[in-house]
Amino acid sequence: MAYTVGQVAKAAGVTVRTLHHYDEIGLLSPSGRSSTGYRRYDDADLERLQHIRYYRELGFPLEEIAAILDDPASDPTAHLRRQHELLTVRIKRLQEMVTAIEFAMEASKLNIPLTPQERFEVFGDFDPEAHAEEAEQRWGGSEAYRESNRRVSRYTRDDWLRNKAENEDWGRRLVEVMSSGAPADSPAAMDLAEEHRQIISRWFYECSYEIHTGLADMYVADERFTAYFEKIRPGMAAYLSEAIHANAISRA
């Protein structure tokens, strides 16, 4: 069965621009073309794309993925076995992380010295203390959590309004990049992922690339994280998560 580029993009959760890019670099070239020259993908192409997505989720650069998949000595079962092993290692690492993987920065917004009116002005209907107990139970032992609380305890209403404006401006620019069709591993998207990391480091705690990729995983694994970004733009959580991983690979 033949599939259009739009059908493949929707099924795989990637952008059409990403598939075009994969074709341009020879990572995933469609097996056929329509009579008018449009790309047509078959089941074997979809299977290759599935492996590409798995390896991308594991943090492999595109060049290395191409080398792995084009190795004549490899086979689909071997790919799945390797991916399973890598995922098992990654899950273990994430479970051992005790650093501040916060829920929408809720843990960073504890002990805020604001009046009820000021809190509403800064956070609207969002209650920064609604998940305070959960955040302390999950990350209270980490240095990042303690550092975050030390910093925010000194922030004033004007500080929080500056933080809010900075995040809104960053979000607006990320939406523009997404709307342009640029893939999540494009320079523009990765630059905004890096800016996101630096905002966290500047306002709350030193956000290493390891912590940042941990946050990226939570953005798509925790429905509360996902809902936060989806309110800004549908698809943002997955796009940002992929951009963060690509940025970490590029810069770390």
Side-chain angles (χ1 to χ4, degrees):
M1 181 175 180
Y3 305 90
T4 66
V5 66
Q7 290 172 325
V8 174
K10 183 177 181 180
V14 299
T15 65
V16 170
R17 179 66 189 88
T18 294
L19 293 176
H20 287 176
H21 179 61
Y22 288 172
D23 186 10
E24 291 165 2
I25 64 175
L27 178 60
L28 177 66
S29 297
S31 297
R33 295 272 180 171
S34 68
S35 58
T36 53
Y38 289 105
R39 295 172 173 84
R40 289 292 184 267
Y41 296 82
D42 62 17
D43 291 335
D45 297 329
L46 296 185
E47 182 178 352
R48 183 179 175 92
L49 178 58
Q50 182 183 47
H51 288 302
I52 292 170
R53 295 294 294 165
Y54 285 158
Y55 281 119
R56 286 295 287 152
E57 288 296 326
L58 289 165
F60 282 69
L62 297 179
E63 295 82 0
E64 188 171 348
I65 295 173
I68 292 171
L69 296 181
D70 293 336
D71 182 356
S74 66
D75 61 72
T77 302
H79 287 310
L80 291 173
R81 186 181 301 111
R82 182 181 186 188
Q83 289 159 355
H84 180 271
E85 292 172 353
L86 292 169
L87 283 170
T88 300
V89 171
R90 182 171 180 179
I91 290 169
K92 183 176 184 295
R93 179 181 65 82
L94 291 174
Q95 289 174 336
E96 293 173 347
M97 287 180 66
V98 292
T99 49
I101 301 175
E102 305 166 343
F103 165 54
M105 295 188 181
E106 287 172 359
S108 303
K109 295 170 181 174
L110 308 177
N111 302 321
I112 300 171
L114 301 178
T115 66
Q117 181 178 354
E118 289 172 333
R119 287 181 182 229
F120 183 80
E121 182 180 2
V122 174
F123 303 117
D125 294 331
F126 169 68
D127 181 3
E129 294 183 344
H131 300 272
E133 184 176 353
E134 175 192 354
E136 185 171 5
Q137 289 176 350
R138 295 177 68 181
W139 306 299
S142 70
E143 177 55 34
Y145 180 92
R146 291 191 291 270
E147 174 62 21
S148 178
N149 277 340
R150 283 194 292 269
R151 293 191 195 183
V152 302
S153 66
R154 300 190 298 267
Y155 288 166
T156 66
R157 164 187 168 276
D158 289 340
D159 290 327
W160 285 113
L161 288 175
R162 283 196 297 273
N163 172 261
K164 180 181 180 182
E166 189 172 333
N167 277 285
E168 288 176 346
D169 176 65
W170 170 84
R172 176 186 55 77
R173 287 182 285 117
L174 183 60
V175 168
E176 290 178 353
V177 171
M178 292 179 66
S179 300
S180 74
D185 57 358
S186 66
M190 289 193 294
D191 284 347
L192 284 169
E194 175 64 16
E195 184 177 337
H196 180 266
R197 188 185 70 84
Q198 293 176 3
I199 289 173
I200 296 173
S201 295
R202 186 163 56 251
W203 283 92
F204 302 107
Y205 57 86
E206 185 59 36
C207 183
S208 66
Y209 288 105
E210 182 179 19
I211 292 176
H212 205 209
T213 54
L215 287 168
D217 292 335
M218 292 294 287
Y219 293 160
V220 293
D222 190 311
E223 62 183 11
R224 297 171 298 179
F225 272 111
T226 304
Y228 173 81
F229 289 106
E230 295 301 291
K231 287 182 180 178
I232 302 175
R233 189 187 190 279
M236 177 179 282
Y239 187 89
L240 175 59
S241 179
E242 185 174 348
I244 289 173
H245 277 283
N247 180 64
I249 293 169
S250 174
R251 299 177 190 259

